[in-house]
Amino acid sequence: MPRVMGERGDVVPLLAEVFRTYGFEGASLARITEGTRLGKGSIYNFFPGGKEEMAEAVLSEIDTWFRDQVFQPLRHAADAQQGVADMFTAVGRYFLSGRKVCLVGVFALGHERDRYAVKVQAYFAEWVQALAAALQRAGHDADGALALAEDVVGGIQGALVLARAADEPALFMRALARMQQRLVPPGTC
């Protein structure tokens, strides 16, 4: 039986899980209605633009969460090292300690890549820039901070894939801990 939801925002996390599981192309209307437990009419009432509007809403929610929980704290934490530590905590929490794949990464690799390229590129670029800025404030030189930020954001994505492939979520958390240790500024312990 279809469920009743009063707010569009209540549907977005459910849609995210459908897209996370099946990708954009694989998220058929049947899978969307099954995953949200909403009827087709309700789905199109919330998202008259169809699957594209649903994907935009999901990506927008992810962007907002990461901006609030990761990017802004990296940029504005009074203690840059604490901001970096908080990033690792937030990322571990968001990806359920390695049990949840990165939906933006799914969109970056699937057939929908070109359709959402600007949003995907902006998400990763903002993450790298925010982390690099925090690393610079923590004592790394500009070039080193940027290189480390690229390595870490790429490493997080790779660790998610590896943890899922190995069916070992703890692998993701171990990788996060090693990456965090790599970011200790020169001359500190």
Side-chain angles (χ1 to χ4, degrees):
M1 170 174 224
R3 78 169 72 171
V4 176
M5 289 195 181
E7 302 275 334
R8 173 182 158 127
D10 296 336
V11 181
V12 174
L14 301 172
L15 287 170
E17 293 311 310
V18 174
F19 286 127
R20 193 179 315 281
T21 302
Y22 300 107
F24 180 82
E25 295 300 327
S28 64
L29 185 54
R31 286 179 169 155
I32 290 168
T33 58
E34 178 185 334
T36 61
R37 292 185 23 227
L38 291 174
K40 292 176 188 176
S42 294
I43 289 287
Y44 282 106
N45 181 53
F46 286 127
F47 302 96
K51 192 162 65 167
E52 288 78 13
E53 186 177 348
M54 294 175 211
E56 290 283 343
V58 167
L59 288 173
S60 208
E61 181 172 281
I62 291 168
D63 187 59
T64 298
W65 190 92
F66 269 83
R67 187 166 284 124
D68 293 346
Q69 302 297 315
V70 176
F71 308 154
Q72 292 301 328
L74 281 170
R75 287 190 185 105
H76 301 296
D79 177 348
Q81 286 179 285
Q82 186 59 53
V84 171
D86 291 347
M87 175 198 77
F88 282 104
T89 300
V91 165
R93 189 176 65 244
Y94 183 83
F95 293 116
L96 299 176
S97 301
R99 288 185 293 280
K100 189 168 151 182
V101 298
C102 177
L103 185 52
V104 177
V106 169
F107 276 40
L109 298 173
H111 294 290
E112 60 278 6
R113 181 183 136 0
D114 292 339
R115 181 178 292 146
Y116 298 103
V118 171
K119 281 191 176 287
V120 168
Q121 289 167 358
Y123 166 85
F124 286 115
E126 186 170 3
W127 193 350
V128 167
Q129 291 164 0
L131 180 54
L135 292 172
Q136 259 190 282
R137 287 193 342 271
H140 291 275
D141 65 85
D143 291 339
L146 179 59
L148 279 171
E150 290 171 345
D151 288 352
V152 166
V153 173
I156 289 169
Q157 296 302 309
L160 280 169
V161 171
L162 187 59
R164 291 281 298 192
D167 195 23
E168 187 183 347
L171 184 153
F172 176 68
M173 296 308 289
R174 291 192 307 268
L176 284 185
R178 286 189 304 272
M179 284 183 259
Q180 186 172 355
Q181 188 56 42
R182 277 187 62 206
L183 298 184
V184 174
T188 61
C189 293

